[in-house]
Each structure stands twice: as C-alpha cells, then as structure tokens.
Amino acid sequence: MPIDAKLLERAYQSGTLEGLPDGHFIDGRFQPAQAGGRMESFDPGRAEPFATFAAGDAADVDQAVASARGAFEDVWRDTAPEARGRVLMRTAELIRANVSRLAVAETLDSGKPVGEAQGDVLGAARTFEYYAGACDKLQGDTFPLGPDHLGYSFNEPVGVTAHIIPWNFPISTTARGIAPALAAGCTAVVKPAEQTPFTALMLAELLSEAGLPPGACNVVTGTGQDVGAPLVAHADVDHVTFTGSVATGTGVMKAVADNVTSLVLELGGKSPVVVLSDCDREAALDGVMGAIFENAGQICSAGSRLVIERAIHDDFVDTLCQRTGALSIGHGLRDPQLGPVNSDRQLETVSGFVDRGRERGATVLTGGAATTDPQTGKGWFYEPTIIADRPVDDELVQEEIFGPVLTIQIAEDAEDAVRLANATRYALVAGVYTRDFEAAHQLARRIDAGQVYINEYFAGGIAVPFGGNRMSGFGREKGLEGIRSYCRTKSVAARIAR
Ligand code: ADP
C-alpha cells in the first residue's frame, strides 16, 4: 500500500500535517485541558516545533478515569464478545484506510523514516485484527471435583487499564496495549509520550468511528509528571501497562504498590546479536544492521551488541563498517535509511556515551558524531556508529544507549558467546545467526531473554509473546499471552448433589 505521495510532499513542504487532533480524547470527543495548558511537539528531522497539543494534569486524568469506569460498568464489559470483535476489526480497516495520514503524523512526531512509520501503522492494524479474533475465544476451564460438585472458571476483564506509552513506537505500543485490553472487555486511558502525542489521539478517534462506546478509550496528553504520575497512582485504575525507561518504570512500580494495582513493565534492553562463523553471511549482515539502525537504534529490543566469533570477525566487521558508512541520512519524510533521533536530549545522551567511551580508549570504527540533515542542515541526527571490541564491564557494553550505536564483543566460540550474551543486567531479546540447527536452539535455550530470534532479527509479529526478564521488566505483551494481563480468573465451585 503506497503512501499518498501528494500528502507526503505537502507535509514535507509545509513542515506539518493539516487537521491534526486538538485536545485530549475523553468520553468520545476532543476537549481542551481543563486548565488550558498547551505544549509544542517537535519535528526531530528539523529540530523545530510543528504543532501544539493539550498539556493535561490530574483533573483531566480524573475525568478520563471516571469516563473509562462508566464505560466499563455500563457498556463495554457486558458487550457481547463478538460485538467487541467487530469494533476491533472495523478499527483495523480504518487504520489501513488512514495509513498515509497516520504514517506522516508518526514521522513528524517521532522522526522515523516514513517507510518504517508505515510498517508500524500496518502493524497496528494487524494487532487490532489479531485481538478482534480473540474476543470470543477467552474460554474458561472446568475442574474435576467429583459427582457432587461442579467447578468452573471464566475470564473477567480487570476493569480500567492505564497505558503509559514511550516516544519510540507511539502507535505500535498504543495498539499492542489497548487492543488486547478492549478485546478482554476492559476500558483504557492512554498517556502518550509528550514528544509523540498525535497517533494515539488519531487512533482513539478511529476506534470511536468504528463504534467503540464513548469513554472506552480515552487519551490524555501531557508530561509524565503532570499526567502519567497521577494516572498510574489513581485509585480507580485496575491495571497499568508501562513501556519506557528503567528509572521511570521502577518509580511506576512503587507508585502502583499503594493501590495494589497490577502492572506489566516493558523496560530497556542491551540485546546481543550472536553471529557464529558458520552463519549465512549476507543474512547476518542485513540482520545486524537492521537490528541497530532501524528507528535510529531507538528500540528497546534493538540489537545493540554484536557478539561475533573471532574466526570471522575481521572480514565481517570490515563489510559491516563499509555498509554502515554508506547509509543515507535525512528527514523521515524523505524516507532515508537512517532518520534523526527523537530529541535534543536524546542526541546529548547518545553523544555522551560515545564521547565517554573515546575517553576510556574505545575505538570508533565508523560514525561517532552528531550531524544534521545533509539537505537542510537541520535536525537531531547521529551518525550510524560502530565501536570496536570492548571489555564486558565497559559502559558501552552494559548500558542502553538508545541510539544508532553498535558495540562489538568478540567471542572465542559458541560457549563464550553465551557467556558474553548473558553478561548484562538486561534480558529482553537476542538474535542468533548460525546454520547449525542444534547450536541455534541450544543458544536459544541458554541465552537469558524473553524472545530469541534465529536467523532473522525482529522475526515474528503480533502472535509471538514479547517482554523481558531481569531489568528488562516482567509480564508479556502480544500473542494470546498478552491478553492475560487484562483478564482475571474467577473460579466457581458449587455443590450440586447431597
Ligand atoms: P524517557 O526518559 O526516554 O522520556 P520515560 O520512561 O521517562 O522515557 O517515558 C516513558 C513514558 O513514561 C512517557 O509517556 C512519559 O511521559 C511517562 N512518564 C514519565 N514519568 C512518569 C511518571 N512519573 N509516572 C508515569 N509516567 C511517567
């Protein structure tokens, strides 16, 4: 499905998109922040504001949660599962019908190349389709209690759910949270990142158009402090799904404790891509580059460490550096191979990691500097960067950079690769490239990660559960497992004979 070329060009020339949503989406309609607050959203490709949006506070959160509570109790939890499924399916169709507008909005807000944004939007449609089909399959169980009793269980929706969304995958993360929540019969309040508020608002409007009752999906925009914090601590929120940084996530964990609110945390990663000497070289080169340069490395599951067997290191890394140096850089609406990073703060963070690494003696094989769009001289860009082999305790190996920076670790053999792969506090995903079937599955078992990709990084899709271990968080999203957070089991045991 090609992007509407005229819309794309108009957005590029004007620097914005006409008809962006204005206001929070609460109770089925757009409305201003009660206190009248506004914020600017920046186009990272030009480092300039391109639109404004409502900056909410606790009063707006209260209103949205009350609206979600009403919609839950009065309508949505008792809506027939097949009717819920139809709304989600229509939403998927509407997302597809609006792919160009959604992708352009996502690119202006986040900076990512519009081809990637289009993939995210279509992925969001696929997410709604997937969970549309799940609505009427949330079966319970029966328990063998003997002839005098009957025991059974069913899945109840947990209630009002809060979704805290990061800026790197705005529409994807919103969809993967609210589609299963709505499928289960829950209602939702979404807090998009303040850097990227628009596609969540557009999605909420499409859900309404698809027939979702007012209040079943609300979006409140604003900062983490003013909107996120009161939302996760709200006594009438039954479940929180948080995707973001470790520092904010651990704060959210503390905040939900007072109300004993259930929580899924999807935090950071420092994921290894293990490349063994018998790999398919071309597949591994493509995989390693996609793993770290897609979305300019701003992916919690980015493959930010190349763990490579010594035997093929020199030749593989030479080619990798040549191809990396040749990547096109530019404004996301020009669909380059590498777009900007999301903010000046992020650019500083990425630069800081590389500059400190240099001071410790790290060798930068390619890249290693902040830059701008070669056409306009504007924007928050960082060159695609590869750092030569670092010791395991180095910051460049241990810490999530969240930018286009790949650190190499040399492994002596597959055994050593497992040791290196597991040597950080994160355990989100891992990639493995080898033609040896047994070695691949041995590594998949022994590497600590929520998800392991073999011979294709980011393989899978909505059907495959996703989430981390250790400091990468807990709970799983996506797949049928992803719907469990939004259901709770009610068991019934009855005496039926005396
Ligand atoms: P980053 O530091 O890269 O912005 P965060 O983890 O802080 O990443 O942001 C992820 C999401 O969490 C954003 O929507 C942000 O507004 C939100 N957020 C930030 N602080 C809080 C908080 N104290 N409580 C709830 N949400 C928050």
Side-chain angles (χ1 to χ4, degrees):
M1 201 180 302
I3 295 255
D4 178 340
K6 281 199 188 124
L7 180 79
L8 195 61
E9 195 52 31
R10 219 168 41 240
Y12 184 76
Q13 295 305 337
S14 69
T16 190
L17 181 67
E18 297 138 33
L20 282 168
D22 193 15
H24 305 310
F25 194 81
I26 301 177
D27 227 15
R29 62 190 178 83
F30 287 109
Q31 50 183 283
Q34 289 178 41
R38 307 283 299 170
M39 283 182 83
E40 285 178 325
S41 189
F42 282 76
D43 168 3
R46 291 192 171 101
E48 288 166 359
F50 74 95
T52 63
F53 61 97
D57 61 22
D60 302 308
V61 169
D62 281 345
Q63 196 198 350
V65 172
S67 169
R69 174 60 57 190
F72 176 67
E73 287 180 2
D74 300 342
V75 195
W76 194 242
R77 73 170 166 193
D78 296 323
T79 299
E82 66 269 28
R84 292 203 298 262
R86 278 195 293 273
V87 171
L88 298 195
M89 195 58 94
R90 274 199 294 273
T91 303
E93 287 160 12
L94 288 172
I95 293 172
R96 286 215 168 82
N98 286 276
V99 62
S100 294
R101 278 186 62 72
L102 286 162
V104 168
E106 195 80 322
T107 290
L108 283 168
D109 233 2
S110 70
K112 66 177 65 192
V114 71
E116 291 182 22
Q118 183 186 24
D120 294 356
V121 173
L122 296 175
R126 176 77 193 103
T127 299
F128 276 93
E129 249 167 33
Y130 179 84
Y131 288 110
C135 293
D136 55 2
K137 295 164 193 79
L138 297 170
Q139 295 167 181
D141 221 335
T142 56
F143 311 116
L145 300 179
D148 298 346
H149 292 85
L150 174 64
Y152 64 93
S153 69
F154 54 92
N155 284 302
E156 289 182 333
V158 298
V160 173
T161 60
H163 303 259
I164 307 288
I165 310 297
W167 46 259
N168 60 333
F169 281 92
I171 195 168
S172 315
T173 315
T174 305
R176 88 175 179 208
I178 64 175
L182 294 170
C186 297
T187 57
V189 179
V190 180
K191 206 304 270 178
E194 51 270 45
Q195 296 86 348
T196 54
F198 288 109
T199 49
L201 292 163
M202 294 162 88
L203 187 54
E205 191 179 21
L206 293 179
L207 275 156
S208 242
E209 204 180 320
L212 190 73
C217 178
N218 306 281
V219 179
V220 183
T221 53
T223 64
Q225 212 59 42
D226 292 344
V227 177
L231 178 59
V232 300
H234 202 291
D236 209 23
V237 165
D238 300 294
H239 174 85
V240 173
T241 295
F242 173 86
T243 307
S245 64
V246 174
T248 306
T250 51
V252 168
M253 200 168 164
K254 288 176 190 140
V256 301
D258 284 343
N259 295 317
V260 197
T261 309
S262 64
L263 177 67
V264 166
L265 280 185
E266 207 263 271
L267 306 177
K270 189 72 185 178
S271 300
V273 189
V274 175
V275 175
L276 299 184
S277 46
D278 67 348
C279 69
D280 173 335
R281 189 171 179 277
E282 280 305 308
L285 283 162
D286 283 352
V288 169
M289 290 189 63
I292 188 62
F293 300 130
E294 189 178 307
N295 204 22
Q298 303 164 113
I299 309 184
C300 42
S301 52
S304 50
R305 293 185 289 142
L306 168 61
V307 177
I308 185 162
E309 253 192 297
R310 188 180 294 281
I312 56 163
H313 168 275
D314 294 357
D315 172 62
F316 190 94
V317 170
D318 269 358
T319 312
L320 190 64
C321 289
Q322 275 164 31
R323 293 191 190 177
T324 298
L327 289 175
S328 61
I329 295 182
H331 192 280
L333 291 178
R334 290 296 193 224
D335 206 23
Q337 288 166 305
L338 190 92
V341 297
N342 179 258
S343 63
D344 49 355
R345 192 187 62 162
Q346 197 54 29
L347 189 58
E348 256 175 53
T349 304
V350 176
S351 298
F353 273 109
V354 176
D355 294 349
R356 285 193 300 278
R358 275 202 185 94
E359 282 162 21
R360 290 191 305 277
T363 305
V364 177
L365 297 174
T366 183
T371 183
T372 51
D373 179 346
Q375 271 184 10
T376 63
K378 295 181 185 177
W380 297 309
F381 290 82
Y382 199 83
E383 293 171 353
T385 299
I386 299 180
I387 314 269
D389 184 39
R390 295 301 295 156
V392 77
D393 58 354
D394 192 86
E395 184 186 56
L396 289 164
V397 171
Q398 292 295 329
E399 297 301 324
E400 182 176 47
I401 297 173
F402 226 61
V405 180
L406 177 71
T407 307
I408 296 175
Q409 295 177 273
I410 299 180
E412 300 308 329
D413 52 26
E415 187 63 31
D416 197 31
V418 172
R419 177 185 67 86
L420 293 174
N422 286 339
T424 75
R425 62 192 179 130
Y426 295 108
L428 187 54
V429 309
V432 173
Y433 283 84
T434 174
R435 284 196 172 98
D436 180 338
F437 181 82
E438 289 177 10
H441 291 286
Q442 283 290 344
L443 285 170
R445 270 197 188 182
R446 295 180 57 208
I447 295 176
D448 188 11
Q451 192 173 351
V452 178
Y453 308 116
I454 297 175
N455 291 335
E456 185 189 313
Y457 205 84
F458 298 132
I462 187 61
V464 184
F466 174 80
N469 303 335
R470 294 191 277 141
M471 291 303 274
S472 294
F474 53 79
R476 295 289 179 266
E477 298 189 82
K478 304 186 9 185
L480 288 180
E481 201 172 332
I483 214 165
R484 283 198 205 141
S485 320
Y486 303 105
C487 299
R488 56 188 176 202
T489 302
K490 178 171 277 176
S491 319
V492 180
R495 178 149 193 131
I496 56 169
R498 278 182 197 280

